[in-house]
Amino acid sequence: MKTKILLLIGLVFISPILLVANPIRVGIAGMTHDHVGQALRAAQKNADVQIVGFAEKNKDLAMRLLKEYHLPESLWFPDLETLIAQTKPEAVCAFNSIYEHLEVVQTCAPKGIHVMVEKPLAVNMDHLAQMKALVKKHPIALLTNFETTWYPSHAKMWDMLKVEKSLGDLRKVVIMDGHNGPVEIGCSKEFLAWLTDPKMNGGGALIDFGCYGANIMTWLMEGQKPISVTAVSQHLKPHIYPKVDDETTIILNYPSCQAIIQASWNWPFDRKDTELYASKGILVADKSKQMKYISEGRFGKESLLQLSPLAPEKAHVFAYLAAVVQGKIDPQKDLSSLAINEIVVEILSAATESAKTHKTIFLK
């Protein structure tokens, strides 16, 4: 009896990592995106997923990163086809350039392998169209990872606006994303090589950080497209970023509200802030465990809302991916879903055209 009691106590306090009975098998395509650290850490822990290999043509880069994270060299593969043939992943996560996302989908979709890419989904509308055709022909989950998806503040914002309906009608959203520049914060040379290349990334700050705002706003609007997109881009640091913008403001116009997206490589510090203005209150959301709430009234009453942790399967990229692959979550119009992120690509494409032509672009 005593042994059974001790066993039960042990089960109560057992690490959550050990409770994952069947982690999904995940391959990694590319290692040039500095966010690949997420996958390298997951390979160390094997919590929600089992990382079965890294496909990276730059062997020196792969060996350096595997050594840094104390992982075996046997996890390296020279290309994605070889990784898939030898490890049989259920899903592949792309940590390469935005331009190369299409190639990952072209490789994985016919084999029935689910794909998650780092934001944004595609470099242009042509790549998007090819991806959608592949997913239609070979039904897989095609997901996009944004850091802001895993913020409890955004989940609470949704609940107050959509479920509780305590905020009234949405009128304006101001979204500020960026930092003081990828060179300035010390991004790797491999990352900078494509992040500052207009072909491989699609643009500069407009793409790199404008995508966050386009993603959040499209989600809040439940997949509704804006009527129009207006963007102004600048090269405030042409000596550092000669080929791409480092400062862009995008205005999205909807029938009942508007969004202002401020994407910058010129902030004095890192920020990912969303300000929501509705008829009955204001919310200011970021990555912290509190959210500022200003209630309606002539002068407004300011308070801090304490935020509850997200459900485990919605609190981290790999936990979410595993839940989707295992059929526990249907992405539908989640922040990561294809339905939302195809509109994100359309908004970014319109913003790029608007900044180039100095005209407002109306969406069909």
Side-chain angles (χ1 to χ4, degrees):
M1 182 67 177
K2 184 178 180 180
T3 302
K4 290 183 178 179
I5 292 173
L6 289 174
L7 179 60
L8 288 172
I9 293 174
L11 288 173
V12 170
F13 291 100
I14 196 168
S15 167
I17 291 175
L18 299 178
L19 293 177
V20 180
N22 296 300
I24 66 167
R25 297 171 60 81
V26 174
I28 305 301
M31 300 178 77
T32 59
H33 197 307
D34 282 356
H35 290 180
V36 75
Q38 300 172 52
L40 290 159
R41 288 188 291 274
Q44 291 174 322
K45 296 179 180 180
N46 283 341
D48 303 296
V49 299
Q50 178 187 359
I51 303 297
V52 296
F54 294 81
E56 171 53 56
K57 60 185 177 183
N58 184 340
K59 185 177 181 179
D60 290 340
L61 169 64
M63 292 298 108
R64 186 175 79 240
L65 289 173
L66 290 173
K67 182 178 180 180
E68 180 183 340
Y69 284 83
H70 308 289
L71 295 169
E73 294 184 1
S74 58
L75 285 176
W76 173 72
F77 294 87
D79 55 69
L80 186 56
E81 288 281 6
T82 303
L83 183 152
I84 291 171
Q86 295 188 23
T87 67
K88 304 295 189 292
E90 298 167 78
V92 163
C93 293
F95 289 94
N96 47 18
S97 73
I98 314 306
Y99 190 90
E100 293 169 297
H101 287 176
L102 173 59
E103 183 180 348
V104 174
V105 178
Q106 288 172 329
T107 300
C108 293
K111 299 176 176 65
I113 299 171
H114 305 286
V115 175
M116 175 172 265
V117 302
E118 287 299 290
K119 55 79 185 173
L121 172 60
V123 76
N124 55 40
M125 293 297 290
D126 175 59
H127 278 210
L128 173 65
Q130 293 185 62
M131 289 180 181
K132 288 175 62 179
L134 284 162
V135 172
K136 184 176 181 180
K137 184 176 181 180
H138 311 282
I140 61 166
L142 178 53
L143 307 170
T144 306
N145 178 37
F146 292 80
E147 177 190 328
T148 45
T149 297
W150 323 113
Y151 289 2
S153 55
H154 289 122
K156 180 63 174 176
M157 180 179 284
W158 175 275
D159 286 343
M160 292 180 70
L161 182 67
K162 302 289 186 176
V163 181
E164 301 169 10
K165 300 186 183 300
S166 57
L167 295 175
D169 298 323
L170 183 62
R171 290 292 179 247
K172 185 187 294 287
V173 180
V174 181
I175 306 173
M176 294 152 283
D177 287 292
H179 47 50
N180 53 343
V183 171
E184 290 85 342
I185 68 170
C187 289
S188 70
K189 63 179 182 180
E190 293 85 2
F191 191 17
L192 289 170
W194 63 260
L195 186 62
T196 59
D197 183 322
K199 176 183 177 181
M200 303 306 287
N201 190 51
L206 187 158
I207 300 296
D208 190 29
F209 285 112
C211 64
Y212 285 99
N215 176 250
I216 291 168
M217 192 61 191
T218 303
W219 172 66
L220 289 173
M221 297 302 292
E222 301 181 64
Q224 180 182 350
K225 292 183 184 181
I227 297 170
S228 65
V229 178
T230 307
V232 176
S233 290
Q234 292 175 279
H235 292 77
L236 300 181
K237 296 182 286 193
H239 57 294
I240 303 177
Y241 307 107
K243 298 180 181 180
V244 294
D245 67 286
D246 54 76
E247 188 74 33
T248 292
T249 299
I250 305 169
I251 300 174
L252 307 182
N253 180 35
Y254 297 86
S256 59
C257 64
Q258 67 175 225
I260 301 170
I261 301 169
Q262 300 177 29
S264 177
W265 286 350
N266 292 290
W267 296 115
F269 45 77
D270 175 76
R271 67 183 310 188
K272 291 184 176 69
D273 307 332
T274 299
E275 298 178 354
L276 186 152
Y277 299 86
S279 58
K280 294 183 179 180
I282 299 170
L283 292 176
V284 180
D286 57 23
K287 65 179 70 177
S288 68
K289 297 179 180 179
Q290 297 178 322
M291 181 166 60
K292 184 187 293 186
Y293 170 52
I294 305 173
S295 58
E296 65 178 326
R298 184 176 178 184
F299 301 105
K301 182 180 179 182
E302 185 174 315
S303 60
L304 286 176
L305 303 177
Q306 300 300 319
L307 303 173
S308 301
L310 297 174
E313 68 275 11
K314 293 190 175 183
H316 186 268
V317 54
F318 290 121
Y320 179 84
L321 174 62
V324 171
V325 171
Q326 292 169 344
K328 297 175 182 177
I329 290 178
D330 181 352
Q332 295 188 30
K333 292 186 178 180
D334 284 354
L335 283 156
S336 300
S337 69
L338 176 58
I340 294 299
N341 284 287
E342 63 178 284
I343 297 174
V344 171
V345 176
E346 188 170 354
I347 289 171
L348 294 177
S349 296
T352 300
E353 182 180 353
S354 174
K356 186 180 298 184
T357 62
H358 306 291
K359 296 179 180 179
T360 294
I361 306 302
F362 291 86
L363 302 188
K364 298 179 180 179

